[in-house]
Amino acid sequence: MIKEIQGLHHVTSMAGNANENNQFFTKTLGLRRVKKTVNFDAPEVYHLYYGDEVGTPGSVMTYFPFGQMPRGRRGTGEVGITEFAVPKGALGFWKDRLVAQGVTGLTEGSFLGENRLGFDGPDGDGFALVESEVRGRTPWTGTDVPEDAGVLGFHGARFSLRDAAATGELLGFMGYQKDETEGSVTRYRIEGGNAADTIDLEELPTAHTAGQGAGSVHHIAFAVEDRAAQLEVRRALMDTGYQVTPVIDRDYFWAIYFRTPGGVLFEIATNEPGFDRDEDTAHLGEALKLPSRYEPHRTQIEGLLPPLAA
Ligand code: ZN
């Protein structure tokens, strides 16, 4: 069993309109944009990162806003719901705020004793705010969201799967322990993690397969401390038969990727070096940052990207 995984690192999704996406995460949800860069494989598309003050691993929601892009079709083989943690008692504030801002898909409920408020992102993305006891996290305070209600990073994620068994087995290998089941959903939890420590597997044996598009999660990334830990995880996964990519430099972390049996694309990302490696903490996410190979093309790239509100 792998012991290096610390919980979630980031979740990366696809979006349509970049400004709507930016507005939703920075204004409606009150996250901080911690990096404005480009898709390293398609530099005419932004890669936008939203999180807490410094983009702590386990708090970072990232997007590729492709502009005109059909919405994804929700179904199995994907991350169905990305869950943010909020302080206990905060859901009343959030319900009023999301209603006032015209957010759709609001559903109130509970799972394993935790109150949750489901809602749709700007492209129909599946989200929930979950009231929970969160250790060692603080919300971004540079917004109009009161500090005692602010988002405290990820709570976890819920996968939609036709058959949960193989993914559950993989999570066990990655250090997650099987927790309780309620209805068709089973919780897996990592002990001693970074607080973004649950994965819920929802089994939907008769649902159709998801089709990716705007509002779909592209991949979900799990955190490891450093490159040495990442190499340990890579070796262990390959020894178990997974096809894992070589280590890729993403400027703010190092990444490896592999496809899981349920269909969800996993990444293992390092906590190092972090989002402050190329700009001051006070100004994170303000300037367009490009990987060095695209710097010679900055003027051309800037001309292709829509200007973003602050
Ligand atoms: Zn990623």
Side-chain angles (χ1 to χ4, degrees):
M1 191 181 91
I2 298 170
K3 300 203 183 303
E4 288 83 1
I5 305 287
Q6 301 175 337
L8 296 183
H9 185 287
H10 64 271
V11 176
T12 294
S13 293
M14 296 180 288
N17 184 284
N19 267 293
E20 283 177 19
N21 183 261
N22 184 61
Q23 173 86 12
F24 186 80
F25 287 93
T26 61
K27 299 293 192 286
T28 303
L29 290 186
L31 304 183
R32 185 183 197 190
R33 193 176 72 221
V34 294
K35 195 60 63 183
K36 180 166 73 169
T37 183
V38 294
N39 182 325
F40 286 13
D41 303 312
E44 72 283 5
V45 175
Y46 277 122
H47 194 178
L48 302 176
Y49 290 75
Y50 311 100
D52 65 8
E53 182 180 12
V54 297
T56 305
S59 79
V60 183
M61 186 75 216
T62 100
Y63 273 91
F64 299 125
F66 284 95
Q68 297 298 320
M69 179 190 222
R71 281 193 176 188
R73 183 183 70 164
R74 314 309 304 276
T76 58
E78 67 174 355
V79 177
I81 302 173
T82 303
E83 301 166 341
F84 294 103
V86 295
K88 292 211 167 176
L91 284 188
F93 164 84
W94 281 105
K95 186 184 172 194
D96 292 347
R97 181 180 177 88
L98 298 184
V99 167
Q101 299 200 18
V103 174
T104 59
L106 266 62
T107 57
E108 293 175 87
S110 74
F111 178 69
L112 297 181
E114 295 173 327
N115 294 324
R116 48 195 288 133
L117 177 66
F119 61 98
D120 293 340
D123 293 293
D125 330 42
F127 285 113
L129 296 169
V130 183
E131 286 186 351
S132 48
E133 304 277 2
V134 178
R135 314 168 302 274
R137 286 202 186 280
T138 51
W140 168 235
T141 53
T143 80
D144 66 338
V145 175
E147 195 169 350
D148 62 1
V151 170
L152 300 168
F154 292 124
H155 177 275
R158 180 176 293 192
F159 298 180
S160 303
L161 301 172
R162 184 160 295 157
D163 177 350
T167 302
E169 195 173 313
L170 169 62
L171 289 173
F173 181 68
M174 290 170 62
Y176 284 77
Q177 288 172 4
K178 193 173 184 177
D179 199 341
E180 291 178 77
T181 297
E182 187 175 318
S184 57
V185 183
T186 300
R187 170 155 293 178
Y188 290 75
R189 180 190 296 280
I190 204 148
E191 292 299 326
N194 63 12
D197 52 9
T198 65
I199 299 288
D200 295 343
L201 303 186
E202 179 167 27
E203 200 162 52
L204 301 162
T206 60
H208 58 63
T209 305
Q212 288 216 321
S216 300
V217 172
H218 182 266
H219 64 267
I220 184 165
F222 297 83
V224 291
E225 188 60 37
D226 55 23
R227 297 190 68 192
Q230 184 178 54
L231 289 176
E232 285 293 312
V233 171
R234 183 170 187 274
R235 185 188 51 75
L237 287 167
M238 291 184 73
D239 284 351
T240 312
Y242 285 96
Q243 304 273 335
V244 187
T245 66
V247 178
I248 300 170
D249 181 358
R250 294 304 188 195
D251 277 6
Y252 310 103
F253 48 87
W254 298 83
I256 55 175
Y257 304 86
F258 63 105
R259 184 70 62 181
T260 65
V264 178
L265 182 62
F266 277 17
E267 175 184 340
I268 309 292
T270 57
N271 293 343
E272 60 177 6
F275 295 98
D276 58 355
R277 71 174 285 273
D278 61 357
E279 55 190 341
D280 268 2
T281 303
H283 296 284
L284 283 181
E286 294 177 7
L288 178 68
K289 294 294 176 184
L290 296 176
S292 54
R293 68 178 182 276
Y294 292 138
E295 273 299 346
H297 311 292
R298 173 174 282 273
T299 305
Q300 186 192 354
I301 289 169
E302 284 178 344
L304 294 170
L305 294 168
L308 279 192

